[in-house]
Amino acid sequence: MAKVIFGSWDGKVIDNRNRQIFEIEEHPEFSDFDEFNAGNPIKAFFGGHGFFIFEKNVNLLDALLQYMERVAKESCGKCTPCRVGTQIIKRKLQALVDRTGRPEDLDEIEIIAKHVKDTSLCGLGQTATVAILEMLGSFREALVAELATPAPLAQHCRTYLSAPCIEACPSKVDVPKYIDYIKDGKFTHSLGVILQKYPMAATCGRVCVRFCEMACRRTQVDEAVGIKVLKRFVADHEQGVINEWFSTYKPAEPKDKNLKIAVVGTGPAGIAAAYHLLLKGYRVDIFESKPVPGGMAATGIPEYRLPKEVLGKEISIIETLGGRILYNQKLGRDLVLNDLVEKGYNAVFLGIGAHKGKMMRVAEEDPEIEGYDFGVDFLLRINHDYIDRGMPMELGEKMVVVGGGNVAMDCARSALRMNVKEVHLVYRRSQKEMPADHEEIEAAMKEGVIFHFLTNPTRILVADGKVRGVELNKMALGEPDEGGRCSVTPIAESEFVLEADHVIPAIGQQVELGFVDPKDGVELESWGTIKVNPSSLMTTRNGVFAGGDCVTGPATLVQAMAQGEKAAQSIDDYLTLGRVRFQPRDRMSQLVADVQPMISTGISIPVKHEYRVKIKELDPMIRKELFEEVEKPISVDEAYAEAQRCMRCYRVYSVITEQ
Ligand SMILES: Cc1cc2nc3c(=O)[nH]c(=O)nc-3n(C[C@H](O)[C@H](O)[C@H](O)COP(=O)(O)OP(=O)(O)OC[C@H]3O[C@@H](n4cnc5c(N)ncnc54)[C@H](O)[C@@H]3O)c2cc1C
């Protein structure tokens, strides 16, 4: 474990300079700080809250200079203290490193750094000089000593620009940047920032689970910035330019034009992998078992949250870029992995999702009974048979949906739209523990879904091969476990029956394993997902990569797209270098995550309270009978106002290593 020789973070000073290394206490936050990559020790770490020095021979002035060079480069220039102040500090540090400066320059640097911190308008300027100020405040004599006797310059500095919202996003979308472009009225540029990461901007702008908003520092002032709605705004606004853009797009020159890649599955993971491989200039064929593309975004997520037209347009980018989608081609049924290798594919990406519904393991449960449907199968039938083909569906008058996640909410809300008169949602814990998005829970409640918390099914009542009802037990919450999750136990003699014509277990999905043949060499984890090397996403078979729900288990759109992008990068490395390269950005991101627990919360600068834009919705009493999109777009004025709420919490981090 790396030990801090000295440092200061959020005003907390650590000074072990007069102690032997074995006397220095260990901090668990630095357990991963020994090496940056193999054989390359981390000597120091700098960030927007301070710095830590792990080795005695760090050239502090050079480390500060390199940090400030990056800050000055990233300054947007809109406010003078940051634009000019960071440049002056940089020049003065350069002079000190070159030994043409004077010791008094340290005093001037301190005055300017304080001014930059106190008067800059955004998070970058407000944190840009914290490390330098903490060093000058608590360790000035170390800098003065270095002026007299410079430390060796043999050190390497890597800098990294990020923000809490970027770090929280699995795809690492540069959120403040696309919001900045909205502030400037440059909507095409804004969309361009998102498209660097994935093609499904309008889709994500509608259904993303918003890890970014949960991390948004604006919550410490009033409410998180409407990051998702702003993404939808630019994607919808600029929709017309997308296909034109991609039809004239010149992909990178691949190392070898004959290299071709097979992607299996057109869900978010497969689409993102194909997109990045096409942008890199590879030939890509996508094999899809269904007659429609989009994976769960098309067959699971209901039309009232994500219109198929929106998704379809974004998937068509793949074909505009030259990718081929081959439908009704199921791996394990119509082809096997070895066929792909024999057909000359140089690498394969598996993005086959997790589609197999899980049984509840209650008495009389049998998927063959009439009126029993797994949640994902039920939604697939609505999307595919009812909406796409206009086929009628007999669902009866009363339905019981079991589960507390988004799939359960989608089933319940869709059932209302299919004219089921009474929809009961049964969940074994309390509302607080429900994993579903709180907006989805509220929407379902407003539309009239009847919730039964702390309730669990014990038996399905069946007569003449048909569902007639569900027997349920009331549950009691126990003590929370180490992870904070409460156990639940049935309450004796609390059984009751809900009459129903239909029961929908929506308690999770598994990977359908029919595609694996032991001869393929693709191994599975004991819990049934595809085994991969987490850094490269390569499976246990050379040249075969996997990502998305089939690796993580049921997760989210943005996680699947992030893995698709990562796999595309690994495939490119594998085909061009024969090995997967170390990714410094991922490593920096890990280090930033490690220091998060040490960052104090609270906004120390005055910020005017401005609550976030209210999204207009169809009236619950009207919308519950329609599959029409519930959320309405925001106006240009609303988008400008919402974008202004972003505090642009950019932070520069740097790491000093030997090489
Ligand atoms: C009802 C529902 C609602 C959801 N709501 C949200 C939400 O609001 N926000 C969010 O972020 N996430 C949501 N999710 C989760 C999200 O949709 C998934 O995490 C995401 O789609 C996973 O992407 P994927 O590409 O890994 O897999 P999938 O989307 O499942 O795509 C896999 C693709 O592979 C194809 N395939 C499968 N097996 C084979 C085979 N053997 N051969 C060829 N092709 C094959 C499938 O037909 C499919 O097209 C929801 C999921 C469901 C089910």
Side-chain angles (χ1 to χ4, degrees), residues 416-431:
L416 289 176
R417 287 161 172 79
M418 298 296 292
N419 289 325
V420 177
K421 298 275 169 302
E422 230 178 85
V423 180
H424 297 266
L425 192 130
V426 168
Y427 178 56
R428 64 192 186 129
R429 295 170 194 273
S430 69
Q431 183 175 350

Side-chain angles (χ1 to χ4, degrees), residues 207 265 267-269 288-289 295-296 305 331 351-352 355 379 410 549 555 557:
V207 298
E288 168 55 55
S289 61
M296 280 302 183
R305 289 208 288 130
L331 190 68
I352 58 170
H355 288 213
L379 293 168
D410 284 339
D549 281 5
L557 213 93

Side-chain angles (χ1 to χ4, degrees), residues 521-532:
V522 173
E523 287 174 24
L524 302 173
E525 298 286 2
S526 54
W527 48 91
T529 55
I530 300 177
K531 191 174 188 172
V532 292

